[in-house]
Amino acid sequence: MITIYSDDHRAHHAAREMQGGVAVPAVEKPARLDSILARIGEVGLGPVRPPDGLGLDPVRRVHTAPYLAFLEQGHTLWSEQFGDIDAAPFSWPARGLRGIEPKSIEGRLGYYAGDVSTPITGGTWRAATAAADVAATGACLIADGARSAFALCRPPGHHASADVFNGYCYLNNAAIAAQVLCDRGAGRVAVLDIDYHHGNGTQDIFYRRGDVLFVSLHADPAVEYPFFLGHADEVGEGAGAGATLNLPMPLGTGYAVYGPALDRGLDAIDRFAPDAMVVSFGADTYDGDPISAFRLTGDDFSRLGQRIGRIARPVLVVMEGGYAVDALGRNTVNFLAALEGAQT
Ligand code: SP5
Ligand code: ZN
């Protein structure tokens, strides 16, 4: 399987994030991709190539212009006031307040942010736009006839909506890829999100559309981030009614519960009969993940890949979360190799 990768991800290296009320070292860090690249080389998964340099057009199809302007300038404006440290919000347009965009950078951070653990650093724009380019390039390879490809993206994307950054995500790489597939002629695209966390950004972007099916397996949002989206009764609206399927599962879920849920998701995708599929892949469902509470093993990732590979559709895999860095390469490549091996 071909991997698309850009070294520019290294430009984004947040110092800290908030966990349990204190600032701790950020778990979403460059070493994650080193682990995956090393394992790709070890097992000889396939070639690794850079993205095509497709620019911002694919990004603009998914994100709003004011949001992109904010993301691009945000850290520069912040630095003029606070120096070269990571920018983070502290105040939000909560219930009872007016949701109009403030003028100051502190206010605008709260306006566009969904949480306090997704810092905007001096290199965030460069890394996030490179990741979007990686995903868009992967989608082009699928549109041109590849059966599978791996977009090795960082920072991840599935929590980012058209105009909100959160959950370590700034630009929604998977949504950008799905839109590229639509724009390159796919009439129907399915997004299967198997990161531990619900893909709230992707769901929101496609919620009213019938041409993109969104299926997500994740920890129950009643007890896990992102908390405010991802319940089973969210099924889409308008033209998108019936084109969202959420399969939330309890903390502690292992393969005995996860496997059958995946089959339900794959059945829905089969019925939708998409021309192509985007898999938002997170390895944070792993037993040893430091911020998550599912119990999948290294072998389970091979099983997931095998089940998904059997669906007989072209598949672009887009990297999302996974924070047990030492096991991340093995788990991810187990998934990819099994997926490719099961494809017809
Ligand atoms: C892409 C992705 O996986 N984003 C995840 C963002 C999760 N942010 C919230 C982290 C909350 C961590 N709570 C830790 C409890 C550890 N015992
Ligand atoms: Zn996640």
Side-chain angles (χ1 to χ4, degrees), residues 110 121 144 158 187 203 246 260 266 283 296-297 300 309:
T121 76
D144 290 340
H158 74 147
Q203 175 174 310
N246 282 318
L266 291 173
L296 299 192
T297 66
D300 291 336

Side-chain angles (χ1 to χ4, degrees), residues 158 195-197 284:
H158 74 147
D195 184 278
Y196 170 77
H197 305 92
D284 41 9

Side-chain angles (χ1 to χ4, degrees), residues 17 19 156 158-159 167-169 195 197 225 284 290-291 320-321 323:
E17 64 170 278
Q19 276 191 36
H158 74 147
H159 294 301
Y168 317 147
C169 302
D195 184 278
H197 305 92
Y225 187 84
D284 41 9
I291 64 165
E320 301 287 359
Y323 308 100

Side-chain angles (χ1 to χ4, degrees), residues 140-208:
C140 288
L141 295 179
I142 298 291
D144 290 340
R147 291 297 290 166
S148 64
F150 178 40
L152 182 42
C153 294
R154 187 186 160 271
H158 74 147
H159 294 301
S161 74
D163 62 354
V164 178
F165 66 103
N166 68 115
Y168 317 147
C169 302
Y170 308 86
L171 299 176
N172 194 316
N173 307 310
I176 289 164
Q179 185 61 47
V180 166
L181 287 166
C182 294
D183 292 343
R184 291 279 311 261
R188 299 157 82 81
V189 174
V191 179
L192 173 63
D193 190 322
I194 55 169
D195 184 278
Y196 170 77
H197 305 92
H198 177 249
N200 55 295
T202 313
Q203 175 174 310
D204 186 56
I205 287 163
F206 297 118
Y207 205 60
R208 300 185 137 273

Side-chain angles (χ1 to χ4, degrees), residues 189-253:
V189 174
V191 179
L192 173 63
D193 190 322
I194 55 169
D195 184 278
Y196 170 77
H197 305 92
H198 177 249
N200 55 295
T202 313
Q203 175 174 310
D204 186 56
I205 287 163
F206 297 118
Y207 205 60
R208 300 185 137 273
R209 281 174 55 172
D211 59 335
V212 179
L213 174 70
F214 177 70
V215 175
S216 182
L217 280 71
H218 50 270
D220 186 351
V223 291
E224 184 55 275
Y225 187 84
F227 298 117
F228 304 107
L229 211 65
H231 297 278
D233 65 349
E234 298 155 15
V235 296
E237 269 173 21
T244 290
L245 174 63
N246 282 318
L247 299 164
M249 287 166 282
L251 303 187
T253 287

